[in-house]
Coordinates of all heavy atoms in Angstrom, one line a residue:
M6 N 95.8 110.7 107.8 CA 96.8 109.8 108.3 C 98.2 110.2 107.8 O 98.3 110.5 106.6 CB 96.5 108.3 107.8 CG 97.4 107.3 108.2 SD 97.0 105.6 107.8 CE 95.6 105.7 106.7
K7 N 99.1 110.3 108.8 CA 100.5 110.8 108.4 C 101.4 109.5 108.4 O 101.5 108.8 109.4 CB 101.0 111.8 109.4 CG 102.4 112.3 109.1 CD 102.8 113.4 110.0 CE 104.2 113.9 109.8 NZ 105.0 113.5 108.8
I8 N 102.0 109.2 107.3 CA 102.8 108.0 107.1 C 104.2 108.5 106.7 O 104.3 109.2 105.7 CB 102.3 107.1 106.1 CG1 100.8 106.6 106.5 CG2 103.2 105.9 106.0 CD1 100.1 105.8 105.5
T9 N 105.2 108.0 107.4 CA 106.6 108.2 107.0 C 107.2 106.8 106.9 O 107.2 106.0 107.8 CB 107.4 109.0 108.0 OG1 106.8 110.3 108.2 CG2 108.9 109.3 107.5
A10 N 107.8 106.5 105.7 CA 108.4 105.3 105.5 C 109.9 105.4 105.2 O 110.3 106.2 104.4 CB 107.8 104.6 104.3
Y11 N 110.7 104.7 106.0 CA 112.1 104.6 106.0 C 112.5 103.4 105.2 O 112.4 102.3 105.6 CB 112.8 104.7 107.3 CG 112.5 105.9 108.2 CD1 111.3 105.9 109.0 CD2 113.2 107.0 108.1 CE1 111.0 107.1 109.7 CE2 112.9 108.1 108.9 CZ 111.8 108.1 109.6 OH 111.5 109.3 110.3
L12 N 112.9 103.7 103.9 CA 113.1 102.6 102.9 C 114.4 102.6 102.3 O 115.1 103.6 102.2 CB 112.0 102.6 101.9 CG 110.6 102.6 102.4 CD1 109.6 103.0 101.2 CD2 110.2 101.4 103.1
K13 N 114.8 101.5 101.7 CA 116.0 101.4 100.9 C 115.6 101.7 99.4 O 114.4 101.4 99.1 CB 116.7 100.0 101.0 CG 117.3 99.6 102.3 CD 117.9 98.3 102.3 CE 118.4 97.9 103.6 NZ 118.9 96.5 103.7
P14 N 116.5 102.2 98.6 CA 116.1 102.5 97.3 C 115.7 101.2 96.5 O 114.7 101.3 95.8 CB 117.4 103.1 96.6 CG 118.2 103.6 97.8 CD 117.9 102.7 98.9
V15 N 116.4 100.2 96.7 CA 116.1 98.9 96.0 C 116.2 97.8 97.1 O 117.2 97.6 97.7 CB 117.1 98.6 94.9 CG1 116.8 97.3 94.2 CG2 117.1 99.7 93.8
C16 N 115.0 97.2 97.3 CA 115.0 96.1 98.3 C 113.6 95.5 98.2 O 112.6 96.2 98.1 CB 115.2 96.7 99.7 SG 114.6 95.7 101.1
G17 N 113.6 94.1 98.3 CA 112.3 93.4 98.2 C 111.3 93.8 99.3 O 110.1 94.0 99.1
W18 N 111.9 94.0 100.5 CA 111.0 94.4 101.7 C 110.5 95.8 101.5 O 109.3 96.1 101.8 CB 111.8 94.2 103.0 CG 112.2 92.8 103.3 CD1 113.4 92.3 103.1 CD2 111.3 91.8 103.9 NE1 113.4 90.9 103.5 CE2 112.1 90.6 104.0 CE3 110.0 91.8 104.3 CZ2 111.7 89.4 104.4 CZ3 109.6 90.5 104.7 CH2 110.4 89.4 104.9
S19 N 111.4 96.7 101.1 CA 110.9 98.1 100.9 C 109.9 98.1 99.7 O 108.9 98.9 99.8 CB 112.1 99.0 100.5 OG 113.0 99.1 101.7
G20 N 110.1 97.4 98.7 CA 109.2 97.3 97.6 C 107.8 96.8 98.0 O 106.8 97.3 97.6
G21 N 107.8 95.9 98.9 CA 106.6 95.4 99.5 C 105.8 96.4 100.3 O 104.5 96.5 100.1
V22 N 106.5 97.3 101.0 CA 105.8 98.4 101.7 C 105.3 99.3 100.7 O 104.1 99.8 100.8 CB 106.8 99.0 102.7 CG1 106.3 100.3 103.3 CG2 107.2 98.1 103.8
R23 N 106.1 99.7 99.7 CA 105.6 100.6 98.6 C 104.3 100.0 98.0 O 103.3 100.8 97.7 CB 106.6 100.8 97.6 CG 107.8 101.7 98.1 CD 108.8 101.9 96.9 NE 110.0 102.6 97.4 CZ 111.2 102.0 97.7 NH1 111.3 100.7 97.6 NH2 112.2 102.8 98.2
D24 N 104.4 98.7 97.7 CA 103.2 98.1 97.0 C 101.9 98.2 97.9 O 100.8 98.4 97.3 CB 103.5 96.6 96.8 CG 104.5 96.4 95.7 OD1 104.8 97.4 94.9 OD2 105.0 95.2 95.5
V25 N 102.0 98.1 99.2 CA 100.8 98.1 100.0 C 100.3 99.6 100.0 O 99.1 99.8 99.9 CB 101.2 97.8 101.5 CG1 100.1 98.2 102.5 CG2 101.5 96.3 101.6
F26 N 101.2 100.6 100.1 CA 100.7 101.9 100.0 C 100.0 102.2 98.7 O 99.0 102.9 98.6 CB 101.8 102.9 100.3 CG 102.3 102.9 101.7 CD1 103.7 103.1 101.9 CD2 101.6 102.5 102.8 CE1 104.2 103.0 103.2 CE2 102.0 102.4 104.1 CZ 103.4 102.7 104.3
A27 N 100.6 101.7 97.6 CA 100.0 101.9 96.2 C 98.6 101.2 96.2 O 97.7 101.8 95.6 CB 100.9 101.4 95.2
H28 N 98.5 100.0 96.7 CA 97.3 99.2 96.6 C 96.1 99.9 97.3 O 95.0 99.8 96.8 CB 97.6 97.8 97.3 CG 96.4 96.9 97.4 ND1 96.0 96.2 96.2 CD2 95.6 96.5 98.4 CE1 94.9 95.5 96.6 NE2 94.7 95.7 97.8
Y29 N 96.4 100.6 98.4 CA 95.4 101.3 99.1 C 95.3 102.7 98.8 O 94.5 103.5 99.4 CB 95.6 101.1 100.7 CG 95.3 99.6 101.1 CD1 96.3 98.8 101.3 CD2 94.0 99.3 101.3 CE1 96.0 97.5 101.8 CE2 93.6 97.9 101.7 CZ 94.7 97.1 101.9 OH 94.4 95.8 102.3
G30 N 96.1 103.2 97.9 CA 96.1 104.6 97.5 C 96.5 105.6 98.6 O 95.9 106.7 98.6
L31 N 97.4 105.2 99.4 CA 97.8 105.9 100.6 C 99.0 106.9 100.2 O 100.0 106.5 99.6 CB 98.3 105.1 101.8 CG 97.1 104.2 102.3 CD1 97.7 103.2 103.4 CD2 96.0 105.0 102.8
D32 N 98.9 108.2 100.6 CA 100.0 109.1 100.5 C 101.0 108.9 101.7 O 100.5 108.6 102.8 CB 99.5 110.5 100.5 CG 98.7 110.9 99.3 OD1 99.0 110.4 98.2 OD2 97.7 111.7 99.4
Y33 N 102.3 108.9 101.4 CA 103.2 108.8 102.4 C 104.5 109.5 102.0 O 104.8 109.8 100.9 CB 103.6 107.3 102.7 CG 104.2 106.6 101.5 CD1 105.6 106.4 101.5 CD2 103.5 106.1 100.4 CE1 106.3 105.7 100.4 CE2 104.1 105.5 99.3 CZ 105.5 105.3 99.3 OH 106.1 104.7 98.3
E34 N 105.3 109.8 103.0 CA 106.6 110.5 102.8 C 107.6 109.4 102.9 O 107.7 108.5 103.8 CB 106.9 111.5 104.0 CG 108.3 112.1 103.8 CD 108.6 113.1 104.9 OE1 107.8 113.2 105.9 OE2 109.6 113.8 104.7
E35 N 108.4 109.3 101.8 CA 109.4 108.3 101.7 C 110.8 108.9 102.1 O 111.1 109.9 101.4 CB 109.5 107.7 100.3 CG 110.5 106.6 100.1 CD 110.5 105.9 98.8 OE1 109.3 105.6 98.4 OE2 111.5 105.6 98.2
K36 N 111.5 108.3 103.0 CA 112.8 108.8 103.4 C 113.8 107.6 103.1 O 113.7 106.5 103.7 CB 112.9 109.2 104.8 CG 112.0 110.4 105.1 CD 112.3 111.0 106.5 CE 111.5 112.3 106.7 NZ 111.9 113.0 107.9
L37 N 114.7 107.8 102.1 CA 115.6 106.8 101.8 C 116.8 106.7 102.8 O 117.4 107.8 103.2 CB 116.2 107.0 100.4 CG 115.2 107.0 99.3 CD1 115.9 107.4 98.0 CD2 114.6 105.6 99.2
I38 N 117.0 105.6 103.4 CA 118.0 105.4 104.4 C 119.4 105.4 103.8 O 120.3 105.3 104.6 CB 117.7 104.2 105.4 CG1 117.8 102.9 104.6 CG2 116.4 104.3 106.0 CD1 117.9 101.7 105.4
S39 N 119.5 105.5 102.6 CA 120.8 105.6 102.0 C 121.4 107.0 102.3 O 122.6 107.3 102.1 CB 120.8 105.3 100.4 OG 119.8 106.2 99.8
E40 N 120.5 108.0 102.7 CA 120.9 109.3 103.1 C 121.1 109.2 104.6 O 120.3 108.9 105.4 CB 119.8 110.3 102.7 CG 119.6 110.4 101.2 CD 118.5 111.3 100.9 OE1 118.2 112.3 101.6 OE2 118.0 111.2 99.7
P41 N 122.4 109.6 105.0 CA 122.8 109.5 106.4 C 121.8 110.1 107.4 O 121.5 109.5 108.4 CB 124.2 110.1 106.5 CG 124.7 110.0 105.1 CD 123.5 110.1 104.2
E42 N 121.2 111.3 107.1 CA 120.4 111.9 108.0 C 119.1 111.1 108.2 O 118.5 111.1 109.3 CB 120.1 113.4 107.6 CG 119.4 113.6 106.3 CD 120.3 113.6 105.1 OE1 121.5 113.3 105.2 OE2 119.8 113.8 104.0
N43 N 118.5 110.6 107.1 CA 117.4 109.7 107.2 C 117.6 108.4 108.0 O 116.8 108.0 108.8 CB 116.9 109.4 105.8 CG 116.3 110.6 105.1 OD1 115.9 111.6 105.7 ND2 116.2 110.5 103.8
Y44 N 118.8 107.8 107.8 CA 119.1 106.6 108.5 C 119.2 106.9 110.0 O 118.7 106.2 110.9 CB 120.4 106.0 108.1 CG 120.9 104.8 108.7 CD1 120.3 103.6 108.6 CD2 121.9 104.9 109.7 CE1 120.7 102.4 109.2 CE2 122.3 103.8 110.4 CZ 121.7 102.6 110.1 OH 122.1 101.4 110.9
A45 N 119.9 108.0 110.4 CA 120.0 108.4 111.8 C 118.7 108.7 112.4 O 118.4 108.3 113.6 CB 120.9 109.6 111.9
E46 N 117.8 109.4 111.7 CA 116.4 109.6 112.2 C 115.7 108.3 112.4 O 115.0 108.1 113.4 CB 115.7 110.5 111.2 CG 114.3 110.9 111.6 CD 113.6 111.7 110.6 OE1 114.2 112.8 110.2 OE2 112.5 111.4 110.1
M47 N 115.7 107.3 111.5 CA 115.1 106.1 111.6 C 115.6 105.3 112.9 O 114.8 104.8 113.7 CB 115.3 105.2 110.4 CG 114.6 103.9 110.5 SD 115.2 102.6 109.2 CE 116.8 102.1 109.9
V48 N 116.9 105.3 113.0 CA 117.5 104.6 114.2 C 117.0 105.2 115.5 O 116.6 104.6 116.5 CB 119.0 104.5 114.1 CG1 119.6 104.0 115.4 CG2 119.5 103.6 112.9
S49 N 117.0 106.6 115.5 CA 116.6 107.3 116.7 C 115.2 107.1 117.1 O 114.8 106.8 118.2 CB 116.8 108.9 116.4 OG 116.3 109.6 117.5
K50 N 114.3 107.1 116.1 CA 112.9 106.9 116.3 C 112.5 105.4 116.6 O 111.6 105.2 117.4 CB 112.1 107.4 115.1 CG 112.0 108.9 115.0 CD 111.1 109.2 113.9 CE 110.8 110.8 113.9 NZ 109.7 111.2 113.0
S51 N 113.2 104.5 115.9 CA 112.8 103.0 116.0 C 113.5 102.3 117.1 O 113.1 101.2 117.6 CB 113.0 102.3 114.7 OG 114.3 102.2 114.4
G52 N 114.8 102.9 117.5 CA 115.5 102.2 118.4 C 116.4 101.0 117.9 O 116.9 100.2 118.7
Q53 N 116.4 100.9 116.6 CA 117.2 99.7 116.0 C 117.5 100.1 114.6 O 117.1 101.2 114.1 CB 116.3 98.5 116.0 CG 114.9 98.5 115.4 CD 114.9 98.4 113.9 OE1 115.5 97.4 113.5 NE2 114.4 99.3 113.2
A54 N 118.4 99.3 114.0 CA 119.0 99.7 112.7 C 118.5 99.0 111.5 O 119.0 99.2 110.4 CB 120.5 99.5 112.8
L55 N 117.5 98.2 111.7 CA 117.0 97.4 110.5 C 115.8 98.1 109.8 O 115.1 98.7 110.4 CB 116.6 95.9 110.9 CG 117.7 95.1 111.6 CD1 117.0 93.9 112.2 CD2 118.8 94.8 110.7
S56 N 115.8 97.9 108.5 CA 114.7 98.5 107.7 C 114.0 97.5 107.0 O 114.5 96.3 106.8 CB 115.2 99.6 106.8 OG 115.9 99.0 105.8
P57 N 112.8 97.8 106.4 CA 112.1 99.1 106.5 C 111.5 99.4 107.9 O 111.2 98.4 108.7 CB 111.0 98.9 105.5 CG 111.3 97.7 104.7 CD 112.1 96.8 105.5
C58 N 111.3 100.7 108.2 CA 110.5 101.1 109.3 C 109.5 102.0 108.8 O 109.8 102.8 107.8 CB 111.5 101.8 110.3 SG 112.6 100.8 111.2
V59 N 108.3 102.0 109.4 CA 107.2 102.8 108.9 C 106.5 103.4 110.2 O 106.2 102.7 111.1 CB 106.1 101.9 108.1 CG1 104.9 102.8 107.8 CG2 106.7 101.3 106.9
E60 N 106.4 104.7 110.1 CA 105.7 105.4 111.2 C 104.4 105.9 110.7 O 104.2 106.5 109.7 CB 106.6 106.6 111.6 CG 106.0 107.4 112.8 CD 106.9 108.5 113.3 OE1 107.7 109.0 112.5 OE2 106.7 108.9 114.4
I61 N 103.3 105.5 111.4 CA 101.9 105.8 111.0 C 101.3 106.5 112.2 O 101.1 105.9 113.3 CB 101.1 104.5 110.7 CG1 101.8 103.8 109.5 CG2 99.7 104.9 110.3 CD1 101.1 102.5 109.2
D62 N 101.0 107.8 112.0 CA 100.4 108.6 113.1 C 101.1 108.5 114.4 O 100.5 108.3 115.5 CB 98.9 108.3 113.2 CG 98.1 108.8 112.0 OD1 98.5 109.7 111.3 OD2 97.0 108.2 111.8
G63 N 102.4 108.5 114.4 CA 103.2 108.4 115.6 C 103.6 107.0 116.1 O 104.4 106.9 117.0
K64 N 103.0 106.0 115.5 CA 103.3 104.6 115.9 C 104.3 104.1 114.9 O 104.2 104.0 113.7 CB 102.0 103.8 115.7 CG 102.2 102.3 115.9 CD 102.5 101.8 117.3 CE 102.5 100.3 117.3 NZ 103.0 99.8 118.5
M65 N 105.5 103.6 115.5 CA 106.6 103.1 114.7 C 106.5 101.6 114.6 O 106.4 100.9 115.6 CB 107.9 103.4 115.4 CG 109.2 103.0 114.6 SD 109.3 103.6 113.0 CE 109.9 105.2 113.3
L66 N 106.5 101.1 113.3 CA 106.5 99.7 113.0 C 108.0 99.5 112.5 O 108.3 100.0 111.4 CB 105.6 99.4 111.9 CG 104.1 99.8 112.2 CD1 103.2 99.5 110.9 CD2 103.5 99.2 113.4
A67 N 108.7 98.8 113.3 CA 110.2 98.6 113.0 C 110.4 97.3 112.4 O 109.9 96.2 112.7 CB 111.0 98.7 114.3
D68 N 111.3 97.3 111.3 CA 111.8 96.1 110.7 C 110.6 95.3 110.2 O 110.4 94.1 110.5 CB 112.7 95.3 111.6 CG 113.3 94.1 110.9 OD1 113.5 94.2 109.6 OD2 113.7 93.1 111.5
V69 N 109.8 95.9 109.3 CA 108.6 95.3 108.8 C 108.6 95.1 107.3 O 109.4 95.8 106.6 CB 107.3 96.1 109.2 CG1 107.1 96.1 110.7 CG2 107.4 97.5 108.6
G70 N 107.8 94.3 106.8 CA 107.5 94.1 105.4 C 106.1 94.6 105.0 O 105.4 94.9 105.9
G71 N 105.7 94.4 103.8 CA 104.4 94.9 103.3 C 103.3 94.2 104.0 O 102.3 94.8 104.4
E72 N 103.4 92.9 104.2 CA 102.3 92.1 104.9 C 102.0 92.6 106.3 O 100.9 92.8 106.7 CB 102.6 90.7 104.9 CG 102.5 90.0 103.6 CD 102.7 88.5 103.6 OE1 102.8 87.9 104.7 OE2 103.0 87.9 102.6
E73 N 103.1 92.9 107.0 CA 103.0 93.4 108.4 C 102.4 94.8 108.4 O 101.6 95.1 109.3 CB 104.3 93.4 109.1 CG 104.9 92.0 109.3 CD 106.4 92.0 109.5 OE1 107.1 92.5 108.7 OE2 106.7 91.4 110.6
V74 N 102.8 95.6 107.5 CA 102.2 97.0 107.4 C 100.7 96.9 107.1 O 99.9 97.6 107.8 CB 102.9 97.9 106.4 CG1 102.2 99.2 106.1 CG2 104.4 98.1 106.8
E75 N 100.3 96.0 106.1 CA 99.0 95.8 105.8 C 98.1 95.3 107.0 O 97.0 95.8 107.3 CB 98.8 95.0 104.6 CG 97.3 94.8 104.1 CD 97.2 94.0 102.8 OE1 98.1 93.1 102.6 OE2 96.2 94.3 102.1
E76 N 98.6 94.3 107.6 CA 98.0 93.8 108.8 C 97.7 94.9 109.9 O 96.6 94.9 110.5 CB 98.8 92.6 109.4 CG 98.8 91.3 108.6 CD 99.8 90.3 109.2 OE1 100.3 90.5 110.3 OE2 100.0 89.4 108.5
Y77 N 98.7 95.7 110.1 CA 98.5 96.8 111.1 C 97.4 97.8 110.6 O 96.5 98.1 111.4 CB 99.8 97.6 111.3 CG 99.7 98.8 112.2 CD1 99.6 98.6 113.6 CD2 99.5 100.0 111.6 CE1 99.4 99.8 114.4 CE2 99.3 101.2 112.4 CZ 99.3 101.0 113.8 OH 99.1 102.1 114.7
L78 N 97.4 98.2 109.3 CA 96.5 99.1 108.8 C 95.1 98.6 108.9 O 94.1 99.3 109.3 CB 96.8 99.4 107.3 CG 98.1 100.3 107.1 CD1 98.4 100.2 105.6 CD2 97.9 101.7 107.6
V79 N 94.9 97.3 108.6 CA 93.6 96.7 108.7 C 93.1 96.5 110.2 O 92.0 96.8 110.5 CB 93.6 95.3 108.0 CG1 92.3 94.5 108.3 CG2 93.8 95.4 106.5
K80 N 94.1 96.0 111.0 CA 93.7 95.8 112.4 C 93.3 97.1 113.1 O 92.3 97.1 113.9 CB 94.9 95.2 113.2 CG 94.7 94.9 114.7 CD 96.0 94.4 115.2 CE 96.3 95.2 116.4 NZ 97.5 95.6 116.8
E81 N 93.9 98.2 112.7 CA 93.6 99.5 113.4 C 92.5 100.2 112.6 O 92.2 101.3 112.9 CB 94.9 100.4 113.4 CG 96.0 99.9 114.3 CD 95.7 99.7 115.7 OE1 95.0 100.7 116.2 OE2 96.0 98.7 116.3
S82 N 91.9 99.5 111.7 CA 90.8 100.1 110.9 C 91.1 101.4 110.2 O 90.3 102.3 110.0 CB 89.6 100.4 111.8 OG 89.1 99.1 112.4
L83 N 92.4 101.5 109.7 CA 92.8 102.6 108.9 C 92.6 102.4 107.5 O 92.5 103.4 106.7 CB 94.4 102.8 109.2 CG 94.7 103.1 110.6 CD1 96.2 103.1 110.8 CD2 94.1 104.4 111.0
V84 N 92.4 101.1 107.0 CA 92.0 100.7 105.7 C 91.0 99.6 105.8 O 91.0 98.9 106.8 CB 93.2 100.3 104.8 CG1 94.2 101.5 104.6 CG2 93.9 99.1 105.2
V85 N 90.3 99.3 104.7 CA 89.4 98.2 104.7 C 90.2 97.2 103.8 O 90.6 97.5 102.6 CB 88.0 98.5 104.0 CG1 87.2 97.2 103.9 CG2 87.3 99.5 104.9
E86 N 90.4 96.0 104.3 CA 91.2 95.0 103.5 C 90.6 94.8 102.2 O 89.5 94.6 101.9 CB 91.2 93.7 104.3 CG 92.1 92.7 103.7 CD 92.3 91.4 104.5 OE1 91.4 91.2 105.4 OE2 93.3 90.7 104.3
Q87 N 91.5 94.8 101.2 CA 91.1 94.6 99.8 C 92.0 93.4 99.3 O 93.2 93.4 99.4 CB 91.5 95.8 98.9 CG 90.7 97.0 99.3 CD 91.2 98.2 98.5 OE1 92.0 98.1 97.6 NE2 90.7 99.4 98.8
I88 N 91.3 92.4 98.8 CA 92.0 91.2 98.3 C 92.3 91.5 96.8 O 91.3 91.7 96.0 CB 91.1 89.9 98.5 CG1 90.9 89.8 100.0 CG2 91.8 88.7 97.9 CD1 89.9 88.7 100.3
A89 N 93.5 91.3 96.4 CA 93.9 91.5 95.0 C 93.7 90.1 94.3 O 94.1 89.1 94.8 CB 95.4 92.0 94.9
Y90 N 93.2 90.2 93.1 CA 93.0 89.0 92.3 C 93.8 89.1 91.0 O 94.1 90.1 90.4 CB 91.5 88.8 91.9 CG 90.7 88.4 93.2 CD1 89.9 89.4 93.7 CD2 90.8 87.2 93.7 CE1 89.2 89.1 94.9 CE2 90.0 86.9 94.8 CZ 89.2 87.8 95.4 OH 88.4 87.5 96.5

């Protein structure tokens, strides 16, 4: 699975996305949108300017939080849902 995450360096929503990837042990490429070339790439690929955006195997999830990313991963059977206690 190829994952690229367009995230802010410090942000609750971006932190939630990072937490989901850590929870499932998923490798991903993080592109900080504080760098102009990463921001331009995110806008070009997602068609909008809000973050976080996560691209999973070519599917762009735009303006999402950790819960939405996890829901997508489970729905598409890319991970098996794990409940944290």
Side-chain angles (χ1 to χ4, degrees):
M6 178 173 14
K7 181 175 177 5
I8 303 171
T9 304
Y11 298 89
L12 305 171
K13 292 180 181 175
V15 178
C16 162
W18 296 99
S19 292
V22 170
R23 289 180 185 101
D24 289 347
V25 167
F26 294 148
H28 180 73
Y29 288 99
L31 298 174
D32 291 326
Y33 67 101
E34 179 181 8
E35 181 171 319
K36 293 192 175 187
L37 296 177
I38 64 167
S39 54
E40 297 177 24
E42 63 276 6
N43 291 339
Y44 179 76
E46 182 179 305
M47 179 193 79
V48 171
S49 174
K50 287 184 168 191
S51 70
Q53 54 84 53
L55 301 174
S56 71
C58 289
V59 177
E60 186 177 17
I61 302 172
D62 290 337
K64 168 75 174 171
M65 180 60 78
L66 307 175
D68 189 22
V69 293
E72 287 182 13
E73 294 160 303
V74 172
E75 183 174 29
E76 286 173 12
Y77 175 81
L78 290 168
V79 170
K80 182 181 124 217
E81 296 297 317
S82 300
L83 299 171
V84 298
V85 175
E86 187 171 18
Q87 299 175 4
I88 300 172
Y90 292 104

